[in-house]
Every structure is written in structure tokens, then in C-alpha cells.
Amino acid sequence: MQGLYQPAFNSIAPPARRLRYAGLLLLSISLAGQSGLVQIVRISPTGGPEGTRVTVIGKNLQETSAVLFGEVRSDFKIISPDELVVLVPHNTSTPPLTVVTPQGRSRSPFAFSLVNDPRIPDEVSYKAGYVNSVAQPSDFHSARLWGIAIADTRVSGGESARVEIAWTQLSCRADGKDIVLNDDRGNVHGGLYLRQPWFGGHNYHEPIPLVYDLALHSVVLNVGLRTDRVWHFWSPSPRATLPQAELEGCTARARVRISQGALLQMGFDYWRSPTVPYGSGGNNHEAGASNWYFPSDQWQDVMFSDIGGPKF
């Protein structure tokens, strides 16, 4: 329109005005870069089992609020605006990896191929170890270790598979000191739970048949006798009260011998109190689970710990 001044970067505009507009232009470019859309450039590795540590390289990753494998959320850690570390979640297939920020979403141009250990049966829930990234509620003051033993009838020896347990121990680290809460020898408690589907989706279970080896001071789970069940065991001691101090986490340990055709996994739960019953009211909080342990002629020391949180 005639009569209106049209600013332009030419020799007609005064030098001071040209400098001011140049500064505004540079500021605009800078702000645009800071609020740019998220972009995934590459991921590494592009395949592996649940729990795999995946490095995501991209742009504008500093405001990442979620990382998804399909619709399943995964734990992640922001390293820099150009890098994330992501842990492949359980119960996912091989969908694309998506990064979510307030500015939008970016789907990886590279597929991630989920390849779990073929020694672990398909129906198993957690096919690799994990640490729960959600801390237990502040009013949870107790803990108890647990284990899972199953038979694998796909391999020779599944029908006679067994797990021997010499001892179990639960300790917690508080104020930098490791405190033993339970230390049990040659005994466990537990039950037989449905295996298809995994744990049956409810608390139905049968008594667990235990055999005691007095010579070795161990308890034997003959998992090959009931291959249709999950042999879920826990410490025979009452639930322990957590130390009244700054808690860093806890560790469940056991000394076991796993025969051909058997598998074992360890973990522990935080509980609201030492006496509250199991139920639908959220009285227990799973701290996580170990990787699976496999057959050996030798005794093995197995463990799970949530100290330090998810292992990025």
C-alpha cells in the first residue's frame, strides 16, 4: 500500500534499522531451532531381546516425554538433545519405535526386531530381567523375595526336571549399609499357579509339593511332575519390615541347582505391611525380576536387585 514504510534490507534502510532487523531475524532462527520437531536419525542396535539397551540418535530429543514400542511404553534416559537410551519393554512384538515430545512425534525409519532367547517358552511373561521404574508407594514398609520355577517339555529331560534350593536371602541397602532381612536354609513356601495363561490372571493356586533332601540341606521342586503349572515360591520367613532409613533398594538371592529341562527366575515385591493380605487393593508392588537362569550340573548363586534402578 502506498504511504506505508516497507522495511527492507537494502542500502536505503538506515544502518541502525538494518542491524535491529538482522538481530530479530537471528533470534527467530534460534528460537525455531530450539522448538524444532523431534526427529529420529538412527537406532542401535536394531534387534535383540526384551530389556535390550537401545541408543536413539536424533534431533530435539531433550523434551522427550515418552518412548513407545507400538503402544507399549518403555523406560528411557535423556543423554543429550541428540541422544536417548531406551530399554525394550516386555510384552511387545516388533512394532516401530516412536519418540513423543510436546512438539510432536517421530517414528524410527528403522524397524527393531525383537528376538527373545529361544530357551524361554512363549507363554512366559517376563522373558528378560527388568527393574520397575515406578518406585514403591511411600506407605509400603515391607518386602518379600520370590522365585519362579518351570519345566520346559520341549527339551529332553523336561518330565524329570527339578530345582534344588539350598538357601534364600533378602537384604536391603539403607544409609549405605546392607542389612539382611531374611536368611532361610533348606525351605520355601509357595503354590502351583496356572501356566496357560501365565498365572491365570488371578490368584487361584494349589499347594506346592515339596521334597526335602536332608543330606544336602535343601528343598526340591520336582517341576517335571506338573509341567502345566508355574511353581511359584517365596521365603518361609514372614514378610520383613524395611529398615527405617534412607532406602536405596533390596536384593534377593538364592543358591540353587537347576537340572536339565528346568528354568528359574528370581524377584521380590514391596508390600504395604508385613501382614496385609494379597488382593486387588494394590497391597504389593513388584520391584522387578531377574534374567532367567538355565540348567547346570553345578550349584548357582542367583539374584535380583533393584538397587540403582533400571540399568541404562
Side-chain angles (χ1 to χ4, degrees), residues 188-267:
V188 294
H189 289 172
L192 300 184
Y193 291 74
L194 294 177
R195 182 164 168 173
Q196 297 276 6
W198 193 249
F199 274 79
H202 48 68
N203 195 39
Y204 167 78
H205 62 278
E206 306 163 24
I208 188 170
L210 301 174
V211 177
Y212 296 94
D213 188 325
L214 299 181
L216 295 177
H217 305 286
S218 64
V219 60
V220 181
L221 310 182
N222 287 306
V223 295
L225 297 180
R226 293 297 303 272
T227 60
D228 62 334
R229 291 292 188 265
V230 177
W231 293 59
H232 183 33
F233 64 89
W234 49 85
S235 59
S237 295
R239 277 183 231 142
T241 299
L242 296 173
Q244 298 296 310
E246 185 66 29
L247 186 69
E248 298 178 43
C250 299
T251 301
R253 293 183 174 88
R255 186 161 179 78
V256 303
R257 185 159 60 181
I258 306 169
S259 79
Q260 182 69 23
L263 304 169
L264 180 136
Q265 188 176 50
M266 292 292 296

Side-chain angles (χ1 to χ4, degrees), residues 61-65 76-85:
L61 302 173
Q62 68 274 11
E63 294 187 63
T64 298
S65 58
F76 67 92
K77 181 178 182 180
I78 299 173
I79 305 300
S80 73
D82 302 322
E83 182 178 350
L84 300 175
V85 174

Side-chain angles (χ1 to χ4, degrees), residues 255-308:
R255 186 161 179 78
V256 303
R257 185 159 60 181
I258 306 169
S259 79
Q260 182 69 23
L263 304 169
L264 180 136
Q265 188 176 50
M266 292 292 296
F268 74 88
D269 287 1
Y270 291 104
W271 287 79
R272 193 175 299 278
S273 76
T275 57
V276 66
Y278 177 85
S280 59
N283 290 328
N284 65 312
H285 177 91
E286 189 171 271
S290 71
N291 287 318
W292 284 87
Y293 289 91
F294 299 101
S296 173
D297 293 334
Q298 306 300 316
W299 287 88
Q300 304 181 58
D301 292 325
V302 301
M303 66 165 290
F304 164 75
S305 179
D306 70 340
I307 296 174

Side-chain angles (χ1 to χ4, degrees), residues 63-106:
E63 294 187 63
T64 298
S65 58
V67 178
L68 308 174
F69 281 76
E71 297 300 321
V72 181
R73 285 178 174 263
S74 64
D75 291 327
F76 67 92
K77 181 178 182 180
I78 299 173
I79 305 300
S80 73
D82 302 322
E83 182 178 350
L84 300 175
V85 174
V86 182
L87 300 180
V88 178
H90 83 291
N91 284 343
T92 186
S93 54
T94 55
L97 183 154
T98 302
V99 172
V100 181
T101 73
Q103 286 74 35
R105 296 182 172 215
S106 177

